[in-house]
Every structure is written in C-alpha cells, then in structure tokens.
Amino acid sequence: MTPTSSTSAFLDDPLLMAIEALPASKLLTQAQVCLLLECTPRWLEEQRSRGAPPPYVQLGDRMVRYAVGPLREWLNRTIDQAPTSPSEQRKRAADETLGFNEPILRGGRRKKLPTDTFGRFIALAQAADEWPFVLKGPYGRPIDFISALTFDVTDEDASVWLSLEAFASQVSRALLHEKAERSVKGIEKVFSGREVPTRDGDRL
C-alpha cells in the first residue's frame, strides 16, 4: 500500500510504515494492536463491546484478530483527524464518539522509536533506549516487533517495549532455558528404552 497524504505526518514512524507495507489480509493479535496504539487490552475490549473502532475479526468464541486492511484505513483516518494544537487536543479530550482516549490518537503521545531500524537500535542505542518486541515461545525469546509482523504470532506471545539492557537480559534468560530444555531432551533420548542404573547398581 502506498502511504497516503493522511499518513504524511507519520512517515518517520517505523511501526506505522511497517503496517503500511503489510498485506491487507494479515491478521494481528490484540497484543500487537495494543502495542501499536499504546492502548490497554481492556480499552480494546470496551471498544469491541460498544461496536466502536478499531475494526476486528471474531474467530471462534474467544479468539479476536485485527485485519491489517481495515485497521490501516482506520489508522489513516485517525491520524488525519488527530489534534495538533493544545486547544484542539483539549477539545477532542471530551469526544468519546471516536473512542480516542489513547496515544497516537491523542496528539502524538505514543513512544518515539530511538532509530528507524532494529539493527541501528542494537548498534547505536543507549542502555535505557527502548524498542518494541514480541516475546515468542514458552521462554519469551524477544523478536523485533516489526519483523514479527510477518510471522505467525499467538495470543500467548506478548508484545512489549524493552530497553536495550532489558532486551539483552531477556535474550540471555531465554537462551539458558532453551539450552536446559535441549539438554533434558538429549538425556531422555540417550536413555530412551534403556534401563537407567542407580547408585547402588539396581536398575530402574
């Protein structure tokens, strides 16, 4: 999708640019949309119960997804309508009809990425600088949020902002857990179908 004039004010936002590049049929989890909008899951739930945007897709009784196409169109309209001056912001603050009581929808309070790519973040960021991630798998291995937009993400995979320092710690913890799991599986494979000796020579 080619960015329209309504998104021109956000052409320097890597997250929104990544959304622009996705296929319209791509489905995002609630956690991904929460990070993108800097809103809470409860706010999205309340919006759904009211029949208010952003548009969503109900898959079964409990699974909710957000199709990129309708979400992108709504974002474009939202950005185009976003208040720019303090007086406009105060006027919009009481406008519940749009449901805009959250970040980018309220005058650009959304977190600003410290650089335009994850690679530059790793190379140039300070310890406290933050980048968005998806915590993938049972041990929460952090994956660049923008790259993860092209992956299959489940409701169990959290979407979070991590500082460079926290990212390094999370990677280390995840790798330790994964290494321990591989070790356990290796031991189980070695002794699969065998009798395991005990200390006194008896067999298990």
Side-chain angles (χ1 to χ4, degrees), residues 8-109:
S8 60
F10 291 85
L11 288 178
D12 62 342
D13 187 317
L15 292 185
L16 294 183
M17 291 178 69
I19 293 298
E20 289 282 346
L22 290 174
S25 59
K26 173 68 178 178
L27 299 178
L28 303 180
T29 66
Q30 176 171 273
Q32 287 174 301
V33 174
C34 282
L35 187 141
L36 179 67
L37 302 183
E38 281 288 324
C39 68
T40 62
R42 181 174 180 179
W43 182 78
L44 285 179
E45 291 164 6
E46 290 175 349
Q47 293 296 98
R48 292 197 299 269
S49 68
R50 294 167 49 198
Y56 68 95
V57 179
Q58 187 78 43
L59 301 176
D61 294 335
R62 304 184 67 179
M63 183 180 291
V64 171
R65 292 291 184 268
Y66 292 82
V68 164
L71 177 65
R72 184 164 51 205
E73 292 175 5
W74 175 73
L75 274 172
N76 287 340
R77 293 194 302 271
T78 299
I79 292 169
D80 192 43
Q81 297 169 358
T84 55
S85 69
S87 61
E88 288 176 332
Q89 291 180 28
R90 288 192 294 271
K91 183 177 180 182
R92 285 284 181 90
D95 185 1
E96 296 182 353
T97 60
L98 296 177
F100 294 164
N101 57 349
E102 302 288 345
I104 78 168
L105 319 177
R106 276 298 181 201
R109 287 181 291 145

